[in-house]
Amino acid sequence: MVDGQYSWFVSPPIDLSAAPTLIGQWDQWVDLPRPANDIFNLSLASNDDFACVTDPAGFVDEAPGWWYGGPFWGVWTDDWDAFAGNDWLSIRWELQNDDVATEPHMAGLLINRQRVGVPSGDAGTTFTRDTWNSFNDWFQDNMADALLDSARIRVKDDDGIASLLLLASNDEGMTWSSYNCHREDPQSEWWITPPPSVEIVPGSIIRYYYECTDDVGNVAVYPSAAPNSWFEMSILPITATTVDRGILLVDKHGRLTPSEQRDYLHSSEYYYREALQTLGYEYEKYDVEVPSGSTDQSNGPDTTGMKYYHTQIWFVNEFDAYTIKAPDQYNLIQWLQEAGVGGDRNLILSGNDIGKELMQVGKETLSFYETWLASDYVENSVGAVTVDSVPGIVEAPGGGDFIGGGEAIARAACPTLNYFDVVQPFAGIPGAELALEYIKADGTHRPAGVAYTHQTLGYKTVNYPFGVEFIMDGTWDGGASNYTPEGYYHTGMAHRVQVMDDAMGTYFAVSPGGDGTGVVDGGYKNVLSQAFPNPFNPVTKISYSIREAGRTQITVYNVAGRSVRVLLDEELDAG
């Protein structure tokens, strides 16, 4: 992308043979952050006349408005019935810079695959949640706001929709209340979901799902396995108090993120929860709505909620949306200062682009990054990596123990790592130390994180300038397999657990409340964890560890005690 760019390409005319219905699906990489003023669009042309679908002037915006976002891979599917019935269809993708950029341009748009087809059978009811307008978590101090909260969901059915209900429970699904949803406007496919007011009480974890009845009486639920799977919101605190404070996980990302398998089955939050549960930490979570491009609607918890916790773990991602904004900085500073009047205050900050968004973009308003985190933002690029952009992450010489003395790799964009900040201790502040270093494929090192203990107040912070969720097991020089697509299939669980354990247990000296699922005291024990999530659809994960090398077998039995599947039967090392 460059200033003033306008680019487009048009597909060859596609023979529809008068298809009665149409569906489009495309697989693409989007790297168009809003502050760069880079945007893209999709238009269609459909006509019986071949010539009409070769003239760019004949294209129609199938969903009016231009789009931005990323960086992320995604697969999108859309209903194109409005263009069915003709003989020909053509597709035009457009990409442009619509104004002077206030941020550096990024990679743009990569269309990996575009498909057009005729859907088979009855499409049934389809649901699409508005990620940027879902239920927020709330604190009991803000009950009035919680009772005014709402969510937004898109529902489509060729047979029409007779009703849409929200089903909610705060007793683990023993009983459910129903709430009528209403259309955003009479012709809209978008529906407004009212708050589950009966379930909104202090200390409640609220499960909810949707039930749609179409005009011919068919019933569909979302998620598809509901009520055995569900969405969730909470009224915090659940068990923490101002006397017996707990741990708070703050999700300011709220999006699916690619796993080691390059799929999008889990959100970033999943990987932090997995590590905490493996270690046996009890925690409460606070999900934040992060509207697209918003700079004023996505604040994290304030001091009325923070007072219940001695440790907070905040994570964000590369949305260039100033996700640690002035109100967040102010609230975190007030909370950290409380360490001076008794009680621990520990903060982990993890995520791509935090330093850039605060320092380079100029949103650091309270000296939060430099003074309170003792962090010196160097630049928003680890630098060019010649093989698949997986820098090593290792201990900093003379620093603390932040990856168990081991070595991991972190997946990222290619070839220049513009989403992993380079961060070092701020000069002249005692108590600050370099925690980790990046190692590039050419053997050069860059600073990759700061640990800080305030010398008088006593609070502690760990600033990871990359997303912990992006860590995979491996070493930077561990062989070509780590740099090819196959390298993405190395699990990162062990090192993510180690990074969390080193910060929480070693640096903060916060003890887990339980035994966890296996990793203890730098060693292992024989443990098989519960499936998580449970109930689940379609995937669950079972973590396990073994104390010593040997043949290991994991078998699934049904309720009658009969073996139904052997998941694992092989020789394994301890771990």
Side-chain angles (χ1 to χ4, degrees), residues 249-302:
L249 185 63
V250 179
D251 181 356
K252 294 208 72 177
H253 180 206
R255 306 291 191 276
L256 295 176
T257 193
S259 73
E260 297 89 342
Q261 286 75 33
R262 290 186 176 179
D263 56 36
Y264 282 80
L265 292 177
H266 303 298
S267 68
S268 295
E269 179 182 299
Y270 171 88
Y271 299 99
Y272 294 86
R273 294 176 67 169
E274 175 188 60
L276 291 170
Q277 290 166 349
T278 299
L279 292 165
Y281 285 103
E282 297 177 357
Y283 61 92
E284 298 175 3
K285 66 180 184 69
Y286 184 90
D287 292 331
V288 183
E289 290 183 23
V290 186
S292 175
S294 167
T295 61
D296 58 2
Q297 300 178 40
S298 56
N299 296 333
D302 60 22

Side-chain angles (χ1 to χ4, degrees), residues 271-351:
Y271 299 99
Y272 294 86
R273 294 176 67 169
E274 175 188 60
L276 291 170
Q277 290 166 349
T278 299
L279 292 165
Y281 285 103
E282 297 177 357
Y283 61 92
E284 298 175 3
K285 66 180 184 69
Y286 184 90
D287 292 331
V288 183
E289 290 183 23
V290 186
S292 175
S294 167
T295 61
D296 58 2
Q297 300 178 40
S298 56
N299 296 333
D302 60 22
T303 53
T304 61
M306 291 181 182
K307 66 188 177 190
Y308 300 107
Y309 306 98
H310 58 69
T311 298
Q312 294 192 67
I313 304 168
W314 286 50
F315 56 96
V316 302
N317 214 311
E318 65 277 13
F319 289 118
D320 299 301
Y322 321 129
T323 45
I324 306 294
K325 300 174 299 190
D328 293 327
Q329 297 171 47
Y330 175 82
N331 290 325
L332 284 168
I333 288 171
Q334 303 308 305
W335 176 76
L336 291 171
Q337 282 181 316
E338 294 173 3
V341 293
D344 294 333
R345 294 293 182 270
N346 308 302
L347 174 66
I348 294 176
L349 195 57
S350 171

Side-chain angles (χ1 to χ4, degrees), residues 201-220:
V201 295
S204 60
I205 299 176
I206 303 166
R207 302 177 180 183
Y208 66 93
Y209 68 94
Y210 294 91
E211 180 181 280
C212 177
T213 303
D214 67 17
D215 284 340
V216 296
N218 297 316
V219 177

Side-chain angles (χ1 to χ4, degrees), residues 165-489:
L165 298 177
L166 172 77
L167 282 300
S169 170
N170 65 3
D171 58 7
E172 298 185 331
M174 297 296 292
T175 59
W176 296 86
S177 302
S178 62
Y179 301 85
N180 287 305
C181 305
H182 64 273
R183 290 185 188 270
E184 198 168 51
D185 63 61
Q187 304 303 317
S188 178
E189 294 174 342
W190 287 96
W191 294 68
I192 302 300
T193 306
S197 55
V198 172
E199 284 69 34
I200 294 179
V201 295
S204 60
I205 299 176
I206 303 166
R207 302 177 180 183
Y208 66 93
Y209 68 94
Y210 294 91
E211 180 181 280
C212 177
T213 303
D214 67 17
D215 284 340
V216 296
N218 297 316
V219 177
V221 295
Y222 181 64
S224 59
N228 292 322
S229 62
W230 58 83
F231 303 111
E232 189 177 279
M233 65 178 290
S234 301
I235 307 299
L236 303 171
I238 307 301
T239 60
T241 68
T242 54
V243 176
D244 186 12
R245 293 183 174 91
I247 298 169
L248 183 64
L249 185 63
V250 179
D251 181 356
K252 294 208 72 177
H253 180 206
R255 306 291 191 276
L256 295 176
T257 193
S259 73
E260 297 89 342
Q261 286 75 33
R262 290 186 176 179
D263 56 36
Y264 282 80
L265 292 177
H266 303 298
S267 68
S268 295
E269 179 182 299
Y270 171 88
Y271 299 99
Y272 294 86
R273 294 176 67 169
E274 175 188 60
L276 291 170
Q277 290 166 349
T278 299
L279 292 165
Y281 285 103
E282 297 177 357
Y283 61 92
E284 298 175 3
K285 66 180 184 69
Y286 184 90
D287 292 331
V288 183
E289 290 183 23
V290 186
S292 175
S294 167
T295 61
D296 58 2
Q297 300 178 40
S298 56
N299 296 333
D302 60 22
T303 53
T304 61
M306 291 181 182
K307 66 188 177 190
Y308 300 107
Y309 306 98
H310 58 69
T311 298
Q312 294 192 67
I313 304 168
W314 286 50
F315 56 96
V316 302
N317 214 311
E318 65 277 13
F319 289 118
D320 299 301
Y322 321 129
T323 45
I324 306 294
K325 300 174 299 190
D328 293 327
Q329 297 171 47
Y330 175 82
N331 290 325
L332 284 168
I333 288 171
Q334 303 308 305
W335 176 76
L336 291 171
Q337 282 181 316
E338 294 173 3
V341 293
D344 294 333
R345 294 293 182 270
N346 308 302
L347 174 66
I348 294 176
L349 195 57
S350 171
N352 304 346
D353 270 0
I354 299 174
K356 177 203 171 194
E357 290 169 11
L358 294 181
M359 305 305 298
Q360 182 175 317
V361 180
K363 294 294 179 178
E364 215 273 33
T365 59
L366 300 168
S367 194
F368 173 71
Y369 199 77
E370 294 181 341
T371 300
W372 291 86
L373 298 179
S375 297
D376 183 11
Y377 167 73
V378 179
E379 62 178 308
N380 180 233
S381 175
V382 176
V385 175
T386 57
V387 275
D388 208 33
S389 296
V390 280
I393 299 178
V394 297
E395 300 289 351
D401 187 11
F402 284 94
I403 202 166
E407 198 170 317
I409 53 178
R411 63 188 187 278
C414 182
T416 301
L417 302 186
N418 286 312
Y419 307 111
F420 286 1
D421 288 337
V422 179
V423 175
Q424 62 191 5
F426 198 83
I429 298 183
E433 61 181 299
L434 185 64
L436 297 170
E437 287 187 331
Y438 302 114
I439 305 180
K440 297 165 58 178
D442 61 7
T444 57
H445 290 231
R446 305 298 305 277
V450 174
Y452 175 47
T453 301
H454 194 280
Q455 298 298 283
T456 55
L457 295 177
Y459 73 78
K460 296 182 178 182
T461 64
V462 175
N463 179 14
Y464 292 127
F466 55 87
V468 168
E469 67 270 26
F470 290 111
I471 290 177
M472 296 187 298
D473 297 342
T475 58
W476 74 276
D477 60 350
S481 64
N482 282 326
Y483 297 107
T484 63
E486 290 76 17
Y488 277 67
Y489 292 86

